Amino acid sequence: MDQNEEFIRNLKIEDVPWSRIVTAYGMATDLPGYLKTLEEHSKLSCVKKAFEEITNNIEHQGTLWYSTAFGLIFLVRIYHDVETQKENNKVAAWLAEELEGFFMLVIDCYHEIIEYYDAEEIESESLPLFSDMLKEEYLWPEGMSEEEEESRWEKGFPDNLETSFYYYSYQVVKEFDKQRT
């Protein structure tokens, strides 16, 4: 197992500084709570709301975000859990189907990017390790003022970090791409 696979396998939800990584609509602070709701998968209305909040925040109009790869690690784990329960649990069955569709959407986002770059270029332009995305230099500062946050958005993301959003998201869900081909 390489370092990235080990990172994906061993990352705990509390290891991710959610309040310092962005989603399509702001910081990812609420994602752990929504992921917990999906893990419990007990009440369909709550699961649907949590799923919608997560997916709307980590993918938007074909764009993947800083929070995407990290959220996907936990979504894939949840998927493996609900996949084993879907025969006897309607909520698990609903969630498994929705997660499969979402994983395919992420894969499509990755394939759209490699239409402009080839896969080797995406890999070579990404950070060398998935865990590098958690380096202090890439995390957003805590307690930013509105002006500081606006300035940070205007600067954008370093190219190697933004490329990593796609590359590592794909690394997490690529098993579903293999199933399609």
Side-chain angles (χ1 to χ4, degrees), residues 66-79:
Y66 199 152
S67 55
T68 308
F70 296 105
L72 285 168
I73 290 172
F74 302 102
L75 290 175
V76 167
R77 290 178 190 169
I78 292 165
Y79 172 77

Side-chain angles (χ1 to χ4, degrees), residues 71-106:
L72 285 168
I73 290 172
F74 302 102
L75 290 175
V76 167
R77 290 178 190 169
I78 292 165
Y79 172 77
H80 289 302
D81 181 46
V82 296
E83 180 67 14
T84 64
Q85 300 175 32
K86 71 181 186 181
E87 303 258 338
N88 302 318
N89 181 321
K90 290 179 185 178
V91 177
W94 180 87
L95 185 53
E97 184 175 329
E98 294 298 313
L99 284 168
E100 287 173 5
F102 185 68
F103 297 154
M104 295 307 192
L105 175 62
V106 169

Side-chain angles (χ1 to χ4, degrees), residues 29-86:
T29 309
D30 295 333
L31 287 183
Y34 294 131
L35 290 165
K36 183 175 172 63
T37 299
L38 295 187
E39 284 175 347
E40 294 168 353
H41 57 273
S42 57
K43 187 174 178 187
L44 185 59
S45 62
C46 294
V47 168
K48 283 183 176 183
K49 181 182 185 320
F51 180 80
E52 182 178 330
E53 288 293 329
I54 291 169
T55 57
N56 286 342
N57 275 280
I58 67 174
E59 183 280 332
H60 180 69
Q61 297 180 347
T63 302
L64 304 182
W65 298 89
Y66 199 152
S67 55
T68 308
F70 296 105
L72 285 168
I73 290 172
F74 302 102
L75 290 175
V76 167
R77 290 178 190 169
I78 292 165
Y79 172 77
H80 289 302
D81 181 46
V82 296
E83 180 67 14
T84 64
Q85 300 175 32
K86 71 181 186 181

Side-chain angles (χ1 to χ4, degrees), residues 61-178:
Q61 297 180 347
T63 302
L64 304 182
W65 298 89
Y66 199 152
S67 55
T68 308
F70 296 105
L72 285 168
I73 290 172
F74 302 102
L75 290 175
V76 167
R77 290 178 190 169
I78 292 165
Y79 172 77
H80 289 302
D81 181 46
V82 296
E83 180 67 14
T84 64
Q85 300 175 32
K86 71 181 186 181
E87 303 258 338
N88 302 318
N89 181 321
K90 290 179 185 178
V91 177
W94 180 87
L95 185 53
E97 184 175 329
E98 294 298 313
L99 284 168
E100 287 173 5
F102 185 68
F103 297 154
M104 295 307 192
L105 175 62
V106 169
I107 289 165
D108 289 343
C109 292
Y110 175 78
H111 285 293
E112 284 181 29
I113 288 296
I114 62 173
E115 286 180 16
Y116 298 102
Y117 311 94
D118 64 34
E120 289 83 25
E121 187 176 5
I122 293 286
E123 182 176 1
S124 70
E125 290 185 13
S126 295
L127 296 168
L129 297 172
F130 195 154
S131 60
D132 289 344
M133 290 175 66
L134 295 178
K135 285 184 174 179
E136 188 64 34
E137 65 196 87
Y138 299 118
L139 296 172
W140 283 41
E142 291 188 80
M144 285 191 296
S145 70
E146 242 180 76
E147 290 172 352
E148 291 169 320
E149 190 170 332
E150 191 174 307
S151 172
R152 183 73 187 249
W153 276 108
E154 287 173 9
K155 277 197 287 187
F157 300 102
D159 289 343
N160 60 349
L161 180 62
E162 192 164 2
T163 305
S164 297
F165 300 166
Y166 290 85
Y167 178 72
Y168 288 114
S169 293
Y170 181 70
Q171 295 307 303
V172 174
V173 297
K174 68 182 175 186
E175 71 183 76
F176 294 93
D177 201 23
K178 291 176 187 170

